[in-house]
Amino acid sequence: MRKWLFFMVLLIVAGLMFGKVNFASTQMTPAAEREFMLNKLVEFSKKTGIGVEFLNFEYPQLYSRLQAEIRAGKNTLNLIADLQGNLYIMASEGFLSDLKDLKFEGKTFIETLEKFAYVKGEKVFIPWLQATYVMAVNKKAFDYLPRGLSKEDVIRGTEKWTYDALLEWAKNIYEKTKQPLLGFPIGPKGLWHRFLHGYIYPSFTGAQALKFDSVRAVEMWNYLKELFKYVHPASSTWDGMADPLLREEVWIAWDHTARLKPAIVEKPNDFVVVPVPRGPMGRGYIIVLVGLAIPKGADFEEPAKVIDFLTSPEMQVEILKNVGFFPVVQEAVGAVPEGALRVLAEGVINQSATKDSVVSFIPSLGSKSGEFTETYRMAFTRIVFQGEDPAKVVKELGERIRQLFKESGAELPEPDASLF
């Protein structure tokens, strides 16, 4: 009995000495990802003496738990990880602390990502993880660059790497090789709709949905009609671009990083991953962003040390290798080993570091999500494949897009939300 009491006192004293972080996360919930996180947090605890309890939640449960603790004035959760959109909601309810005074040495957070960490002037999360869609280029394609566009322009995403330049490049390749070597995943299970609403629409109009039927949108559709003269016709059957790239049916392709990865892993020396082109309104692209937040009322000291650990270049690389999310700090690129992961990481970070970024977040339309994406695909089919007048089609479908947001009550996503 005495031994048991002594042990309990020792635990309490240890807890007071070293503190404990109750880390609630909606991410890393699959078994393999959770095991990875648990092992890494054990390593952290051994080095620092700070215990970390990793607790997985679904978003509704996490919101309710946090709401109850804030209202009771009693924090048990003192570190949160969630998607940026969910953290915005928590912040708007006053659940999250302002982290703008937290400083982390030896790391440079990507400016584009940090920009979206603020709500009403308060920094409500620290960027932790990102995922996106990019372009993969077979190095042979660089022999056919149009005049005025360099390989470095494409890789770095300079102002010269535009959709007009892509058109000239694809046309040049077609005229010299007699082959349409640009491709997109337009098959039934492909992610082509993400390119339409999250990439080319904001690049040309500055918005995903609000300017669906604008004059600039009509210009964009006319551009796509011209571009598709040089797009591989089998694109409409492809759900992913890795195999067409490996078979050299295309030299330039757009897709999700996870779907491009098999081609890069198999032939890392054949490809480079590059930012998407820019349009008249900037370089539109989708980011899936996960942040780390501290609930209001919680002490910062121990959670900040966990954040410092989770965003260290070494840990960011481990996450990329084991889970597939990409780094949010520029120093991590140098820590990624040579090979496929380095090729992918450089492309993702170069894209998110471009100064003309127009970041898109996927709208949370619930049961209306399928109708939203299908409307963009329908417009594409009618305008580009069936030759209908773009002005007529977007006018007809524009109201449908706006109605989806009204019916679902969903907030407008970025970049639309920033237009107000």
Side-chain angles (χ1 to χ4, degrees):
M1 184 65 177
R2 285 182 178 176
K3 286 184 177 177
W4 182 83
L5 281 173
F6 175 76
F7 180 68
M8 289 301 294
V9 169
L10 193 63
L11 279 179
I12 292 169
V13 170
L16 291 172
M17 284 177 64
F18 301 116
K20 181 181 178 184
V21 174
N22 288 315
F23 180 13
S25 174
T26 61
Q27 307 300 304
M28 310 280 188
T29 56
E33 294 180 15
R34 178 176 167 77
E35 184 179 357
F36 162 75
M37 274 302 296
L38 290 172
N39 290 335
K40 288 297 173 184
L41 290 171
V42 166
E43 290 176 17
F44 168 79
S45 295
K46 285 180 179 175
K47 288 181 182 174
T48 63
I50 300 170
V52 183
E53 184 88 14
F54 186 60
L55 306 162
N56 285 133
F57 285 84
E58 294 293 331
Y59 171 69
Q61 288 73 42
L62 176 58
Y63 180 92
S64 299
R65 170 78 172 267
L66 204 55
Q67 183 182 50
E69 292 191 1
I70 296 290
R71 286 179 177 174
K74 185 179 180 181
N75 291 93
T76 58
L77 303 179
N78 50 3
L79 182 60
I80 303 291
D82 205 342
L83 293 169
Q84 145 274 334
N86 294 337
L87 292 173
Y88 281 0
I89 296 172
M90 294 178 194
S92 66
E93 296 290 333
F95 295 171
L96 304 181
S97 298
D98 185 357
L99 307 180
K100 66 174 176 292
D101 292 330
L102 278 184
K103 304 297 178 192
F104 301 99
E105 293 184 2
K107 59 187 73 168
T108 309
F109 286 91
I110 295 169
E111 188 178 341
T112 302
L113 305 181
E114 282 227 287
K115 190 173 71 175
F116 291 100
Y118 288 82
V119 173
K120 297 177 182 175
E122 293 190 352
K123 187 173 186 178
V124 297
F125 67 82
I126 305 294
W128 181 30
L129 313 168
Q130 66 160 324
T132 190
Y133 310 70
V134 288
M135 287 187 123
V137 178
N138 187 313
K139 292 177 182 175
K140 293 178 181 176
F142 289 123
D143 293 337
Y144 301 86
L145 284 167
R147 185 173 297 175
L149 181 71
S150 70
K151 178 180 176 182
E152 198 64 14
D153 287 328
V154 177
I155 291 174
R156 296 294 171 197
T158 72
E159 61 182 10
K160 293 181 180 177
W161 177 218
T162 65
Y163 277 102
D164 284 340
L166 174 65
L167 173 60
E168 290 303 310
W169 195 6
K171 182 181 178 184
N172 205 31
I173 291 171
Y174 180 79
E175 289 176 348
K176 299 278 176 56
T177 67
K178 308 303 179 191
Q179 297 179 74
L181 294 175
L182 170 64
F184 295 94
I186 307 177
K189 295 181 181 177
L191 297 169
W192 172 238
H193 46 277
R194 298 296 183 213
F195 179 81
L196 292 175
H197 76 77
Y199 281 72
I200 198 163
Y201 243 104
S203 295
F204 275 74
T205 73
Q208 295 191 62
L210 278 180
K211 298 184 177 180
F212 184 87
D213 47 2
S214 63
V215 172
R216 284 194 180 276
V218 173
E219 292 172 2
M220 181 273 288
W221 285 112
N222 282 324
Y223 166 84
L224 272 182
K225 288 170 70 174
E226 186 67 18
L227 182 70
F228 265 71
K229 293 176 181 175
Y230 313 106
V231 171
H232 199 296
S235 287
S236 60
T237 66
W238 292 331
D239 294 330
M241 297 309 300
D243 287 340
L245 282 165
L246 286 170
R247 293 192 296 260
E248 295 200 25
E249 289 172 294
V250 295
W251 281 351
I252 307 171
W254 170 94
D255 209 341
H256 192 282
T257 49
R259 296 188 178 197
L260 292 172
K261 186 179 174 184
I264 311 301
V265 168
E266 188 165 330
K267 294 184 176 179
N269 296 323
D270 286 10
F271 301 105
V272 291
V273 173
V274 303
V276 291
R278 59 162 289 147
M281 299 300 288
R283 198 178 312 273
Y285 58 89
I286 290 173
I287 286 182
V288 178
L289 179 61
V290 178
L292 296 162
I294 298 176
K296 192 154 281 185
D299 187 82
F300 280 21
E301 184 176 353
E302 312 297 354
K305 291 176 181 173
V306 180
I307 293 174
D308 195 30
F309 167 70
L310 293 173
T311 57
S312 64
E314 297 76 17
M315 183 59 181
Q316 294 272 292
V317 172
E318 286 298 306
I319 291 171
L320 172 61
K321 288 161 64 176
N322 289 277
V323 183
F325 277 105
F326 286 88
V328 298
V329 295
Q330 292 181 356
E331 290 78 2
V333 175
V336 178
E338 292 287 343
L341 287 178
R342 171 74 70 94
V343 173
L344 283 162
E346 285 180 342
V348 170
I349 291 178
N350 284 341
Q351 177 168 277
S352 53
T354 51
K355 299 296 183 186
D356 51 5
S357 295
V358 181
V359 171
S360 303
F361 293 124
I362 296 173
S364 303
L365 286 161
S367 61
K368 300 288 183 183
S369 295
E371 200 173 338
F372 174 77
T373 55
E374 183 54 34
T375 303
Y376 286 84
R377 278 183 170 261
M378 184 186 300
F380 169 74
T381 299
R382 289 176 58 180
I383 295 169
V384 177
F385 285 167
Q386 297 174 355
E388 288 193 47
D389 176 16
K392 173 178 174 290
V393 172
V394 294
K395 184 178 180 182
E396 183 183 322
L397 297 178
E399 187 54 33
R400 179 176 172 176
I401 290 287
R402 288 185 283 271
Q403 198 62 26
L404 291 174
F405 284 91
K406 289 178 185 173
E407 291 172 1
S408 66
E411 298 283 337
L412 285 168
E414 291 292 344
D416 305 47
S418 293
L419 295 176
F420 295 97

